[in-house]
Each structure stands twice: as structure tokens, then as C-alpha cells.
Amino acid sequence: MSFATTIAQYRERATALWLSRTEQERRFLSVGGAVVLLALLYLILVDPAVEGRAQLNRSLPQLRQQAAELQAMAQEATALAQAPAVQVTPLTRETVSTSLSGRSLTPQSLSMTGEYIKLQLNNVSFANLASWLDEQRRSNRVLVQDAVVTALPAAGQVDASLTLRQNTGNAQ
């Protein structure tokens, strides 16, 4: 049996079923079929478009705010890129000693060679050490090159051997 023959048989059955109905039943079925067809068209085509448009209208103010923030950040980045780099004052042994004592850190040894600072601390508070390193990173561009930190039996106390490097902005 071919596809065309199968379709023709279904068409004949549908026509026979339709003709066996009274005129009033045909009208009810026609109106009902039209209502179902319109409901399907609305649910498939119109409702998603209306909902999508409403969702876009709800999110549009937030997207505009984000776009404005991005533009402001881009302008700030451009201004910062055009600004000359701030030169950092090279650290001296005295300034390092003063900043360490400000955090109650007493170095066992402290040596400085150019941009490098070698530091040995025994039995110091880890919280104070971490705060001092963060402060130096922010204000003096000091980076940790090498660190050996050993926990002591006393809670929060450590021995630390640090090699730090100050990035002064000079060509390397």
C-alpha cells in the first residue's frame, strides 16, 4: 500500500463521517474546531511572543544600568591607562624596621639588596604578619618572592623566613 492510497482511504472515511452528521452537528464541530485551532495558534505563536516581550521590558532598565556602569568603567580604565605610572619610593632598612615594629613584629635578621628584602621572624603572630604583608603590598608594591612559614605549638604563632621584592616601577 502506498502513502497516497492510505491518505485517500483516511479522506474517504472522514468524508463519510462528516456526511453522516446533521447540519447542526456540522456547525457545532466547525465552530469547535475553529476555537481549538485559534487556541493552539495563540498558545504556539502569540503567547510566547507576548511573554518574551514583557520579560524584555522588565529586564531593560537593569540592562541599561549595567551598560551605563560598563561605559563608566571603560572610561575610568582609559583614563587610568593614559595616566603615568606612580613611582614608589624605594624602601629602606629603617622604614621596613619601623613598619614591622608598628605591627609588633621583631625581625631576627633583616637584609636588603636593591629591590629585595630578606627577613627572618621567630615566634610572631601569623595575623600580624599577614596584615603587615598586605599593608606592604598595597602601599609599597612589595611582593612575596619566597616564604617559609612554620607553625609553632602556640596557637597563632609562627616562624617565618621571607624574601620580598619591591616593584618600584623601574625597568627590569
Side-chain angles (χ1 to χ4, degrees):
M1 207 187 275
S2 72
F3 181 70
T5 320
T6 307
I7 296 294
Q9 287 177 352
Y10 282 125
R11 180 180 265 172
E12 284 178 28
R13 286 185 196 162
T15 303
L17 186 64
W18 183 257
L19 293 175
S20 67
R21 303 285 173 231
T22 65
E23 188 63 35
Q24 185 179 9
E25 286 177 329
R26 287 184 201 160
R27 272 188 264 146
F28 282 141
L29 288 173
S30 296
V31 169
V35 168
V36 168
L37 180 65
L38 288 174
L40 282 173
L41 286 174
Y42 177 80
L43 290 175
I44 292 172
L45 301 175
V46 177
D47 188 46
V50 170
E51 284 298 315
R53 183 175 180 179
Q55 183 181 7
L56 288 175
N57 282 335
R58 286 190 301 267
S59 64
L60 191 60
Q62 181 184 9
L63 293 173
R64 285 187 176 146
Q65 174 67 28
Q66 290 174 349
E69 288 174 6
L70 285 174
Q71 287 175 344
M73 282 191 239
Q75 289 173 351
E76 184 179 344
T78 302
L80 288 174
Q82 293 174 351
V86 177
Q87 294 295 324
V88 176
T89 306
L91 289 174
T92 63
R93 184 179 178 92
E94 291 76 31
T95 57
V96 172
S97 294
T98 304
S99 66
L100 283 168
S101 63
R103 291 276 180 187
S104 301
L105 300 171
T106 306
Q108 294 305 106
S109 67
L110 172 63
S111 63
M112 298 187 65
T113 309
E115 296 178 338
Y116 291 92
I117 305 164
K118 195 153 181 75
L119 186 61
Q120 175 66 42
L121 300 162
N122 291 336
N123 196 19
V124 295
S125 166
F126 181 74
N128 283 348
L129 177 61
S131 297
W132 180 79
L133 285 172
D134 186 50
E135 177 186 317
Q136 294 305 308
R137 177 187 62 85
R138 292 174 190 260
S139 61
N140 296 315
R141 292 187 188 169
V142 172
L143 303 172
V144 177
Q145 290 292 314
D146 185 37
V148 176
V149 180
T150 307
L152 297 176
Q157 296 298 106
V158 295
D159 286 343
S161 176
L162 304 170
T163 302
L164 310 173
R165 179 177 175 266
Q166 184 184 24
N167 183 2
T168 57
N170 297 334
Q172 298 179 16

PDB file of all heavy atoms in Angstrom, residues 18 22-40:
ATOM      1  N   TRP A  18     -18.282  12.860   8.165  1.00  0.00           N
ATOM      2  CA  TRP A  18     -18.806  14.229   8.110  1.00  0.00           C
ATOM      3  C   TRP A  18     -20.215  14.247   7.527  1.00  0.00           C
ATOM      4  O   TRP A  18     -21.090  14.938   8.046  1.00  0.00           O
ATOM      5  CB  TRP A  18     -17.858  15.102   7.296  1.00  0.00           C
ATOM      6  CG  TRP A  18     -18.264  16.545   7.225  1.00  0.00           C
ATOM      7  CD1 TRP A  18     -18.845  17.187   6.183  1.00  0.00           C
ATOM      8  CD2 TRP A  18     -18.139  17.510   8.268  1.00  0.00           C
ATOM      9  NE1 TRP A  18     -19.084  18.483   6.483  1.00  0.00           N
ATOM     10  CE2 TRP A  18     -18.647  18.723   7.773  1.00  0.00           C
ATOM     11  CE3 TRP A  18     -17.649  17.480   9.548  1.00  0.00           C
ATOM     12  CZ2 TRP A  18     -18.706  19.885   8.518  1.00  0.00           C
ATOM     13  CZ3 TRP A  18     -17.685  18.631  10.292  1.00  0.00           C
ATOM     14  CH2 TRP A  18     -18.206  19.821   9.799  1.00  0.00           C
ATOM     15  N   THR A  22     -25.641  15.575  11.186  1.00  0.00           N
ATOM     16  CA  THR A  22     -26.707  16.509  10.804  1.00  0.00           C
ATOM     17  C   THR A  22     -26.094  17.889  10.593  1.00  0.00           C
ATOM     18  O   THR A  22     -24.938  18.149  10.973  1.00  0.00           O
ATOM     19  CB  THR A  22     -27.789  16.586  11.909  1.00  0.00           C
ATOM     20  OG1 THR A  22     -27.206  17.142  13.074  1.00  0.00           O
ATOM     21  CG2 THR A  22     -28.413  15.235  12.175  1.00  0.00           C
ATOM     22  N   GLU A  23     -26.866  18.798  10.060  1.00  0.00           N
ATOM     23  CA  GLU A  23     -26.379  20.151   9.774  1.00  0.00           C
ATOM     24  C   GLU A  23     -25.995  20.880  11.059  1.00  0.00           C
ATOM     25  O   GLU A  23     -24.979  21.565  11.117  1.00  0.00           O
ATOM     26  CB  GLU A  23     -27.471  20.940   9.012  1.00  0.00           C
ATOM     27  CG  GLU A  23     -27.020  22.282   8.503  1.00  0.00           C
ATOM     28  CD  GLU A  23     -25.891  22.202   7.475  1.00  0.00           C
ATOM     29  OE1 GLU A  23     -25.840  21.264   6.669  1.00  0.00           O
ATOM     30  OE2 GLU A  23     -25.012  23.092   7.507  1.00  0.00           O
ATOM     31  N   GLN A  24     -26.792  20.697  12.117  1.00  0.00           N
ATOM     32  CA  GLN A  24     -26.494  21.349  13.392  1.00  0.00           C
ATOM     33  C   GLN A  24     -25.193  20.800  13.985  1.00  0.00           C
ATOM     34  O   GLN A  24     -24.342  21.560  14.476  1.00  0.00           O
ATOM     35  CB  GLN A  24     -27.643  21.128  14.371  1.00  0.00           C
ATOM     36  CG  GLN A  24     -27.459  21.882  15.670  1.00  0.00           C
ATOM     37  CD  GLN A  24     -28.618  21.666  16.638  1.00  0.00           C
ATOM     38  OE1 GLN A  24     -29.481  20.828  16.413  1.00  0.00           O
ATOM     39  NE2 GLN A  24     -28.626  22.447  17.708  1.00  0.00           N
ATOM     40  N   GLU A  25     -24.948  19.482  13.916  1.00  0.00           N
ATOM     41  CA  GLU A  25     -23.709  18.883  14.425  1.00  0.00           C
ATOM     42  C   GLU A  25     -22.499  19.395  13.628  1.00  0.00           C
ATOM     43  O   GLU A  25     -21.441  19.644  14.187  1.00  0.00           O
ATOM     44  CB  GLU A  25     -23.774  17.361  14.339  1.00  0.00           C
ATOM     45  CG  GLU A  25     -24.674  16.721  15.367  1.00  0.00           C
ATOM     46  CD  GLU A  25     -24.775  15.216  15.193  1.00  0.00           C
ATOM     47  OE1 GLU A  25     -24.677  14.740  14.028  1.00  0.00           O
ATOM     48  OE2 GLU A  25     -24.953  14.518  16.194  1.00  0.00           O
ATOM     49  N   ARG A  26     -22.693  19.541  12.309  1.00  0.00           N
ATOM     50  CA  ARG A  26     -21.586  20.050  11.476  1.00  0.00           C
ATOM     51  C   ARG A  26     -21.201  21.469  11.898  1.00  0.00           C
ATOM     52  O   ARG A  26     -20.025  21.810  11.961  1.00  0.00           O
ATOM     53  CB  ARG A  26     -21.977  20.052  10.001  1.00  0.00           C
ATOM     54  CG  ARG A  26     -22.034  18.700   9.383  1.00  0.00           C
ATOM     55  CD  ARG A  26     -22.340  18.831   7.903  1.00  0.00           C
ATOM     56  NE  ARG A  26     -22.869  17.575   7.407  1.00  0.00           N
ATOM     57  CZ  ARG A  26     -23.577  17.436   6.311  1.00  0.00           C
ATOM     58  NH1 ARG A  26     -23.866  18.503   5.587  1.00  0.00           N
ATOM     59  NH2 ARG A  26     -24.003  16.266   5.931  1.00  0.00           N
ATOM     60  N   ARG A  27     -22.207  22.312  12.188  1.00  0.00           N
ATOM     61  CA  ARG A  27     -21.905  23.668  12.627  1.00  0.00           C
ATOM     62  C   ARG A  27     -21.171  23.666  13.975  1.00  0.00           C
ATOM     63  O   ARG A  27     -20.204  24.392  14.164  1.00  0.00           O
ATOM     64  CB  ARG A  27     -23.193  24.495  12.737  1.00  0.00           C
ATOM     65  CG  ARG A  27     -23.540  25.163  11.426  1.00  0.00           C
ATOM     66  CD  ARG A  27     -24.687  26.119  11.587  1.00  0.00           C
ATOM     67  NE  ARG A  27     -25.868  25.337  11.186  1.00  0.00           N
ATOM     68  CZ  ARG A  27     -27.084  25.441  11.698  1.00  0.00           C
ATOM     69  NH1 ARG A  27     -27.336  26.316  12.623  1.00  0.00           N
ATOM     70  NH2 ARG A  27     -28.065  24.695  11.277  1.00  0.00           N
ATOM     71  N   PHE A  28     -21.666  22.849  14.914  1.00  0.00           N
ATOM     72  CA  PHE A  28     -21.002  22.762  16.228  1.00  0.00           C
ATOM     73  C   PHE A  28     -19.562  22.282  16.083  1.00  0.00           C
ATOM     74  O   PHE A  28     -18.632  22.820  16.709  1.00  0.00           O
ATOM     75  CB  PHE A  28     -21.763  21.820  17.164  1.00  0.00           C
ATOM     76  CG  PHE A  28     -22.985  22.421  17.784  1.00  0.00           C
ATOM     77  CD1 PHE A  28     -24.134  21.664  17.943  1.00  0.00           C
ATOM     78  CD2 PHE A  28     -23.008  23.739  18.220  1.00  0.00           C
ATOM     79  CE1 PHE A  28     -25.270  22.202  18.510  1.00  0.00           C
ATOM     80  CE2 PHE A  28     -24.142  24.288  18.794  1.00  0.00           C
ATOM     81  CZ  PHE A  28     -25.283  23.511  18.939  1.00  0.00           C
ATOM     82  N   LEU A  29     -19.364  21.259  15.249  1.00  0.00           N
ATOM     83  CA  LEU A  29     -17.998  20.737  15.043  1.00  0.00           C
ATOM     84  C   LEU A  29     -17.110  21.771  14.346  1.00  0.00           C
ATOM     85  O   LEU A  29     -15.925  21.895  14.675  1.00  0.00           O
ATOM     86  CB  LEU A  29     -18.032  19.439  14.241  1.00  0.00           C
ATOM     87  CG  LEU A  29     -18.565  18.213  14.979  1.00  0.00           C
ATOM     88  CD1 LEU A  29     -18.696  17.034  14.022  1.00  0.00           C
ATOM     89  CD2 LEU A  29     -17.649  17.855  16.137  1.00  0.00           C
ATOM     90  N   SER A  30     -17.676  22.514  13.406  1.00  0.00           N
ATOM     91  CA  SER A  30     -16.888  23.551  12.706  1.00  0.00           C
ATOM     92  C   SER A  30     -16.483  24.666  13.668  1.00  0.00           C
ATOM     93  O   SER A  30     -15.320  25.096  13.689  1.00  0.00           O
ATOM     94  CB  SER A  30     -17.687  24.153  11.550  1.00  0.00           C
ATOM     95  OG  SER A  30     -17.963  23.178  10.577  1.00  0.00           O
ATOM     96  N   VAL A  31     -17.437  25.118  14.473  1.00  0.00           N
ATOM     97  CA  VAL A  31     -17.129  26.187  15.426  1.00  0.00           C
ATOM     98  C   VAL A  31     -16.117  25.682  16.473  1.00  0.00           C
ATOM     99  O   VAL A  31     -15.151  26.371  16.823  1.00  0.00           O
ATOM    100  CB  VAL A  31     -18.421  26.727  16.088  1.00  0.00           C
ATOM    101  CG1 VAL A  31     -18.097  27.637  17.260  1.00  0.00           C
ATOM    102  CG2 VAL A  31     -19.262  27.449  15.065  1.00  0.00           C
ATOM    103  N   GLY A  32     -16.358  24.478  16.996  1.00  0.00           N
ATOM    104  CA  GLY A  32     -15.438  23.899  17.988  1.00  0.00           C
ATOM    105  C   GLY A  32     -14.034  23.711  17.421  1.00  0.00           C
ATOM    106  O   GLY A  32     -13.029  24.007  18.085  1.00  0.00           O
ATOM    107  N   GLY A  33     -13.942  23.221  16.190  1.00  0.00           N
ATOM    108  CA  GLY A  33     -12.624  23.051  15.552  1.00  0.00           C
ATOM    109  C   GLY A  33     -11.922  24.377  15.349  1.00  0.00           C
ATOM    110  O   GLY A  33     -10.705  24.500  15.535  1.00  0.00           O
ATOM    111  N   ALA A  34     -12.698  25.410  14.971  1.00  0.00           N
ATOM    112  CA  ALA A  34     -12.111  26.746  14.785  1.00  0.00           C
ATOM    113  C   ALA A  34     -11.599  27.298  16.109  1.00  0.00           C
ATOM    114  O   ALA A  34     -10.510  27.898  16.171  1.00  0.00           O
ATOM    115  CB  ALA A  34     -13.141  27.691  14.164  1.00  0.00           C
ATOM    116  N   VAL A  35     -12.384  27.082  17.193  1.00  0.00           N
ATOM    117  CA  VAL A  35     -11.949  27.562  18.510  1.00  0.00           C
ATOM    118  C   VAL A  35     -10.676  26.847  18.943  1.00  0.00           C
ATOM    119  O   VAL A  35      -9.729  27.479  19.435  1.00  0.00           O
ATOM    120  CB  VAL A  35     -13.088  27.390  19.550  1.00  0.00           C
ATOM    121  CG1 VAL A  35     -12.568  27.593  20.968  1.00  0.00           C
ATOM    122  CG2 VAL A  35     -14.231  28.329  19.247  1.00  0.00           C
ATOM    123  N   VAL A  36     -10.625  25.535  18.764  1.00  0.00           N
ATOM    124  CA  VAL A  36      -9.426  24.768  19.137  1.00  0.00           C
ATOM    125  C   VAL A  36      -8.227  25.214  18.293  1.00  0.00           C
ATOM    126  O   VAL A  36      -7.118  25.391  18.807  1.00  0.00           O
ATOM    127  CB  VAL A  36      -9.685  23.247  18.986  1.00  0.00           C
ATOM    128  CG1 VAL A  36      -8.386  22.457  19.078  1.00  0.00           C
ATOM    129  CG2 VAL A  36     -10.681  22.773  20.027  1.00  0.00           C
ATOM    130  N   LEU A  37      -8.441  25.431  17.010  1.00  0.00           N
ATOM    131  CA  LEU A  37      -7.354  25.886  16.125  1.00  0.00           C
ATOM    132  C   LEU A  37      -6.845  27.260  16.543  1.00  0.00           C
ATOM    133  O   LEU A  37      -5.625  27.486  16.623  1.00  0.00           O
ATOM    134  CB  LEU A  37      -7.829  25.910  14.671  1.00  0.00           C
ATOM    135  CG  LEU A  37      -6.789  26.360  13.646  1.00  0.00           C
ATOM    136  CD1 LEU A  37      -5.635  25.363  13.591  1.00  0.00           C
ATOM    137  CD2 LEU A  37      -7.407  26.527  12.286  1.00  0.00           C
ATOM    138  N   LEU A  38      -7.767  28.182  16.855  1.00  0.00           N
ATOM    139  CA  LEU A  38      -7.352  29.510  17.307  1.00  0.00           C
ATOM    140  C   LEU A  38      -6.604  29.437  18.640  1.00  0.00           C
ATOM    141  O   LEU A  38      -5.608  30.142  18.848  1.00  0.00           O
ATOM    142  CB  LEU A  38      -8.556  30.436  17.424  1.00  0.00           C
ATOM    143  CG  LEU A  38      -9.174  30.899  16.101  1.00  0.00           C
ATOM    144  CD1 LEU A  38     -10.452  31.689  16.360  1.00  0.00           C
ATOM    145  CD2 LEU A  38      -8.180  31.729  15.306  1.00  0.00           C
ATOM    146  N   ALA A  39      -7.061  28.589  19.557  1.00  0.00           N
ATOM    147  CA  ALA A  39      -6.382  28.440  20.848  1.00  0.00           C
ATOM    148  C   ALA A  39      -4.976  27.891  20.655  1.00  0.00           C
ATOM    149  O   ALA A  39      -4.012  28.367  21.281  1.00  0.00           O
ATOM    150  CB  ALA A  39      -7.193  27.534  21.775  1.00  0.00           C
ATOM    151  N   LEU A  40      -4.820  26.902  19.790  1.00  0.00           N
ATOM    152  CA  LEU A  40      -3.486  26.353  19.512  1.00  0.00           C
ATOM    153  C   LEU A  40      -2.575  27.397  18.874  1.00  0.00           C
ATOM    154  O   LEU A  40      -1.400  27.510  19.241  1.00  0.00           O
ATOM    155  CB  LEU A  40      -3.592  25.121  18.609  1.00  0.00           C
ATOM    156  CG  LEU A  40      -4.015  23.828  19.294  1.00  0.00           C
ATOM    157  CD1 LEU A  40      -4.237  22.733  18.260  1.00  0.00           C
ATOM    158  CD2 LEU A  40      -2.979  23.407  20.315  1.00  0.00           C
TER     159      LEU A  40
END
